[in-house]
Amino acid sequence: MEKNELIALAWQAAEKAYAPYSNWQVGAAVLGENGTVYTGCNIENASYGLTNCAERTAIFKMVSDGCLKFTAIAVVSGETCNGYPCGACRQVMSEFAAGGSVPVYISGKDGSCLTAAMSDLLPYAFEKETLLK
Ligand code: THU
């Protein structure tokens, strides 16, 4: 699975975004360790705080399908590559990323792409190991 394929699938998912309040469409695609790509969009709610981000939609689809790790994720929105994942999504991504070096591709409609390692996006993540020690 190429970076550009993952980004293209994320854009397809963004078309399904339910974002009548912000009008900010986000798409995400995660490559599961099982080889399957799971996509997601942001899903807003009249009770704003119940909104689910695109990254978490995609990751929750992966986990609910029985796959617990992903090896790459693409997140797309806006015109340029500045639609960075929010803090809540970084924490959820960190739980299910196959390691700190997992690439996070952040891309915009102009085709620009920022690639960041998971551990650079969320250093000192709160981890499962801390609770299970
Ligand atoms: N959003 C995402 O889908 N992912 C993020 O990481 C940041 C924000 C969505 C939530 C909301 O529907 C819209 O973008 C504006 O905040």
Side-chain angles (χ1 to χ4, degrees):
M1 171 67 49
E2 293 287 327
K3 173 178 97 169
N4 288 340
E5 286 178 77
L6 208 57
I7 289 171
L9 290 169
W11 279 117
Q12 279 181 27
E15 287 172 20
K16 302 274 187 346
Y18 177 73
Y21 307 107
S22 73
N23 201 30
W24 182 255
Q25 290 81 17
V26 187
V30 289
L31 176 58
E33 247 181 7
N34 61 358
T36 301
V37 174
Y38 298 91
T39 62
C41 59
N42 51 330
I43 304 169
E44 299 186 344
N45 194 278
S47 178
Y48 295 168
L50 299 183
T51 292
N52 204 62
C53 293
E55 300 92 312
R56 281 178 286 145
T57 303
I59 291 169
F60 293 160
K61 281 169 72 178
M62 179 187 83
V63 174
S64 63
D65 194 40
C67 179
L68 294 180
K69 292 289 168 197
F70 64 88
T71 55
I73 179 169
V75 185
V76 304
S77 64
E79 296 303 321
T80 62
C81 59
N82 60 4
Y84 309 115
C86 75
C89 286
R90 292 180 197 209
Q91 178 66 30
V92 171
M93 285 158 59
S94 165
E95 180 92 16
F96 298 106
S101 62
V102 162
V104 181
Y105 308 124
I106 298 159
S107 192
K109 285 187 193 120
D110 65 358
S112 57
C113 179
L114 172 83
T115 302
M118 185 64 239
S119 59
D120 288 336
L121 277 183
L122 187 63
Y124 302 103
F126 186 66
E127 292 173 334
K128 187 183 186 182
E129 288 67 32
T130 305
L131 294 174
L132 300 183
K133 254 174 211 159

